[in-house]
Amino acid sequence: MEALALDRSPSQSPTSAAARRRPFVFFGGGGEERERRRGFICFWCCFGKDAMASPPTTDGLIDSVTKRKGSPCQQDDDSQDDKRIRSGVNLPEDIFWYIHSLMPLRDAARAACVSRSFLRSWRCYPYLFFCEEITRLDNSKFSDDTTRNLISKISHILHHHSGIGLKKLKLAFFGCTNVNFSCFDSWFHKAVTPGIEELTLILPRNSNAGYSFPCSVLSDGNGNSIRYLHLSCCAIRPTVDIGCLRTLTTVHLSSVRITGFELECFLSNSPALESLTVIDCKEIVQLKIPRLLKRLHTLDVNRCEMLKVIENYAPNVSTFHFSGQPVRMWGFLQVKDLGMSCLHQSRILCYALANLLSVAPNVENLGISSETEIVSTQTVSGKYLCLKHLHISLNRSSDFDYLSLVSFLDVSPLLETFILYISGMHMSQGHMGHAWTLGDSAELRQMPGHRHDNLKEFEVDGLCYAKSLFELTWHILETTSSLNRVKLDTACGYPRCSSDRCFPYYTDQIMEARNAVSAVKTYITGKVPPTVKFNLVQPCNRCLALVQ
């Protein structure tokens, strides 16, 4: 607990001016951390310098907690220090406790060293977030010793916590090595009590999911209040006697050892579930979503290598994101927002046209991402009659015919937005699509008979010097009367150059962007109607000067 007590070098006495000036230390954090920092501001506004006049006891928070007897939240006489803090104000103790709960963890612990009112509140502190950034006092890297020290600090804090009023517990061991799990079960049995709302356990990937989360802590009504559960790099083996988790709305499982049957058992006891995320769970072969999950609206399934089948019986899933090898799936007729990402599948676009159309025919927002697309798409029967927004992300490929993406426009008569993102490592000029030179527009292939009169926005992010890409752009301008915005961006997702500094592009990248801009000016600019807002993003003049 020394890391949560006041920093004090040997040369500083407890009553030194430096110690009085710097009793609290702030550090960065997310929205919740910023909210808790407001608690310190309230504390300062209420008590001013009087609150800082009394230094903490020199024996530290752990010793002071150890010496106290009786009920963890029992009120006792104020100490002399506590009286000095509360001089000039007359606030109920529950106000003090509320202010205390808004402080970040480290500041809350230090406040407990200053005041017995805060010390009593500390034993019921509702938000315990433990990670290396909070518990370390320096920027040293984690070693076995620092890991053991971190676990010791957590054990001390949880041992002296009453277990009353705890709402959120987060244990994040991102950079730790050789984590000893022997005390983890006792932590959860102490912390998971009626009233707990959020529970997070993130273990290092090198732990190989060696720890098994004790599902028993959620039984006997202890899990009735939990709303959020996040487990990473561990195992969980739920059984039918886990009990009903009637308030659980969000579950996030990442690199967790759990079978499809065990997950189905867990979900069957979570009737209020609204969002489910399953990432890199290698033991799941068949994922079955029970029918009783009527509130479930978001399902994310990513990189589950052994997964073969997804069966969804939940009636109201509207958002479904999938990443991995294509699998058999059904039960997604009601999905409106669909994302598909296949890292090692070279025919994902054909799969999206031929298979997804029957799986989710009512989708309104469709995102497709592929790293190794080498086969062009083809025209198929059927249409996405509700699709309005299409986002396709591809790695650069010398074999892909971008003009074939017209197939998606043909099967999407109501499409309004089409965004094409081209990423990946830079490829030398001459390998970016079919070889060609700037010349007469008659060289560009035409596709007469196609109309896309609902398309309003077209964007290419990562415009490269590929003939088929300009043929696609030409085709959209020729066959669309409803366009109001076209954006062609040569930056390939890289940061923009600022007024005084350029992003370090490779020379070949700048040359390719320059050639792409020349092609745009030759073939595209003159085809843009005056009613369309046209935006061409190109390298800055300083970058272009490097290749003149």
Side-chain angles (χ1 to χ4, degrees):
M1 193 56 204
E2 293 81 5
L4 298 179
L6 281 174
D7 300 341
R8 186 179 298 123
S9 63
S11 61
Q12 287 181 319
S13 67
T15 57
S16 68
R20 291 196 300 270
R21 284 197 303 269
R22 294 184 286 104
F24 293 87
V25 176
F26 288 111
F27 50 92
E32 290 187 353
E33 292 300 323
R34 288 193 296 271
E35 180 67 22
R36 293 194 183 93
R37 284 198 291 271
R38 295 192 185 102
F40 173 76
I41 296 174
C42 296
F43 177 70
W44 179 267
C45 293
C46 287
F47 309 119
K49 293 182 179 179
D50 289 338
M52 302 299 122
S54 176
T57 57
T58 57
D59 51 5
L61 182 58
I62 292 178
D63 293 339
S64 63
V65 171
T66 305
K67 293 176 182 178
R68 299 175 64 84
K69 305 293 183 181
S71 172
C73 297
Q74 177 183 353
Q75 295 189 10
D76 51 273
D77 295 336
D78 288 345
S79 67
Q80 191 66 27
D81 289 341
D82 202 29
K83 290 179 180 178
R84 284 201 297 269
I85 285 183
R86 300 178 66 167
S87 62
V89 295
N90 184 19
L91 295 177
E93 188 156 86
D94 59 347
I95 300 298
F96 278 81
W97 287 21
Y98 174 72
I99 294 174
H100 197 206
S101 70
L102 295 177
M103 297 181 187
L105 177 64
R106 185 183 296 176
D107 297 337
R110 291 173 175 177
C113 296
V114 176
S115 161
R116 288 197 179 184
S117 292
F118 284 140
L119 181 57
R120 290 191 293 271
S121 172
W122 171 249
R123 293 167 179 162
C124 305
Y125 187 71
Y127 310 112
L128 295 180
F129 299 161
F130 299 107
C131 62
E132 59 267 32
E133 288 83 1
I134 291 180
T135 54
R136 281 189 297 173
L137 294 177
D138 53 40
N139 295 321
S140 60
K141 294 183 179 180
F142 258 97
S143 63
D144 291 352
D145 289 338
T146 54
T147 299
R148 286 191 292 268
N149 191 33
L150 170 60
I151 292 176
S152 175
K153 289 178 172 66
I154 297 174
S155 294
H156 272 297
I157 294 174
L158 288 176
H159 175 71
H160 294 292
H161 196 282
S162 68
I164 300 174
L166 183 59
K167 295 182 179 297
K168 300 180 182 180
L169 175 65
K170 180 177 180 179
L171 304 171
F173 295 85
F174 296 106
C176 297
T177 58
N178 296 326
V179 179
N180 186 345
F181 305 126
S182 60
C183 53
F184 277 41
D185 281 7
S186 62
W187 292 352
F188 289 119
H189 281 284
K190 181 67 176 290
V192 182
T193 58
I196 188 75
E197 295 179 358
E198 296 187 13
L199 186 59
T200 299
L201 173 63
I202 303 176
L203 297 178
R205 296 195 64 86
N206 60 18
S207 65
N208 296 318
Y211 175 70
S212 183
F213 178 81
C215 293
S216 59
V217 301
L218 300 175
S219 60
D220 298 328
N222 290 332
N224 284 347
S225 59
I226 191 168
R227 300 178 182 272
Y228 177 89
L229 178 64
H230 182 166
L231 300 178
S232 179
C233 299
C234 65
I236 179 171
R237 305 298 184 187
T239 58
V240 292
D241 58 352
I242 190 175
C244 182
L245 306 175
R246 60 190 180 190
T247 61
L248 183 61
T249 59
T250 304
V251 172
H252 185 114
L253 304 177
S254 178
S255 300
V256 170
R257 291 168 50 199
I258 185 173
T259 66
F261 176 78
E262 290 168 337
L263 181 55
E264 181 184 357
C265 177
F266 183 84
L267 297 178
S268 297
N269 287 276
S270 309
L273 194 65
E274 298 176 1
S275 176
L276 173 63
T277 300
V278 182
I279 302 175
D280 190 31
C281 295
K282 295 181 172 60
E283 294 186 9
I284 299 178
V285 178
Q286 181 179 14
L287 176 59
K288 186 176 181 180
I289 310 299
R291 189 183 305 274
L292 61 85
L293 300 184
K294 296 182 179 180
R295 298 184 184 180
L296 184 67
H297 56 73
T298 301
L299 175 62
D300 288 348
V301 181
N302 300 320
R303 304 191 310 276
C304 296
E305 295 179 358
M306 302 304 295
L307 186 64
K308 304 299 181 183
V309 181
I310 301 178
E311 301 178 39
N312 174 50
Y313 298 99
N316 297 309
V317 174
S318 60
T319 300
F320 175 44
H321 295 158
F322 176 84
S323 175
Q325 294 295 332
V327 299
R328 290 188 294 121
M329 56 181 71
W330 59 81
F332 297 98
L333 296 179
Q334 72 282 9
V335 167
K336 303 298 183 183
D337 186 344
L338 176 61
M340 288 287 297
S341 176
C342 295
L343 304 182
H344 306 292
Q345 169 59 243
S346 61
R347 294 181 60 87
I348 181 59
L349 294 179
C350 291
Y351 177 86
L353 287 171
N355 297 81
L356 285 185
L357 189 55
S358 60
V359 173
N362 299 312
V363 65
E364 296 179 0
N365 303 289
L366 176 60
I368 305 171
S369 178
S370 174
E371 287 190 357
T372 57
E373 191 73 28
I374 60 174
V375 180
S376 302
T377 60
Q378 58 190 11
T379 303
V380 296
S381 60
K383 293 183 181 297
Y384 286 104
L385 297 177
C386 300
L387 184 60
K388 294 183 178 180
H389 307 284
L390 175 64
H391 188 291
I392 297 179
S393 179
L394 302 173
N395 262 18
R396 298 185 178 192
S397 171
S398 60
D399 300 318
F400 184 69
D401 184 3
Y402 294 99
L403 183 60
S404 65
L405 295 177
V406 172
S407 299
F408 280 93
L409 304 181
D410 290 338
V411 300
S412 310
L414 299 182
L415 190 67
E416 298 178 359
T417 303
F418 179 27
I419 298 176
L420 175 61
Y421 181 81
I422 304 173
S423 62
M425 298 298 293
H426 173 71
M427 301 178 68
S428 302
Q429 183 179 348
H431 295 277
M432 291 306 305
H434 306 291
W436 68 305
T437 57
L438 297 180
D440 194 329
S441 60
E443 295 180 2
L444 300 182
R445 289 174 295 169
Q446 308 293 317
M447 298 185 69
H450 298 257
R451 297 298 303 178
H452 317 293
D453 288 327
N454 285 301
L455 189 64
K456 295 179 173 59
E457 296 187 15
F458 173 60
E459 178 179 333
V460 179
D461 191 354
L463 182 72
C464 54
Y465 190 58
K467 181 179 180 180
S468 63
L469 186 53
F470 289 92
E471 291 172 335
L472 173 65
T473 307
W474 172 284
H475 171 81
I476 290 176
L477 291 172
E478 282 283 306
T479 61
T480 307
S481 60
S482 55
L483 274 176
N484 55 38
R485 178 179 176 269
V486 173
K487 179 182 178 181
L488 303 178
D489 189 346
T490 63
C492 305
Y494 293 107
R496 302 286 187 268
C497 298
S498 62
S499 59
D500 58 347
R501 186 176 182 181
C502 291
F503 182 80
Y505 293 103
Y506 292 108
T507 301
D508 287 347
Q509 290 175 305
I510 300 175
M511 292 180 62
E512 182 186 332
R514 182 193 64 180
N515 292 337
V517 170
S518 297
V520 170
K521 293 179 179 179
T522 301
Y523 295 114
I524 304 302
T525 304
K527 300 294 296 183
V528 179
T531 57
V532 175
K533 181 180 179 181
F534 180 61
N535 184 14
L536 175 61
V537 182
Q538 55 185 311
C540 70
N541 292 331
R542 294 191 302 270
C543 290
L544 291 175
L546 298 175
V547 295
Q548 295 296 334

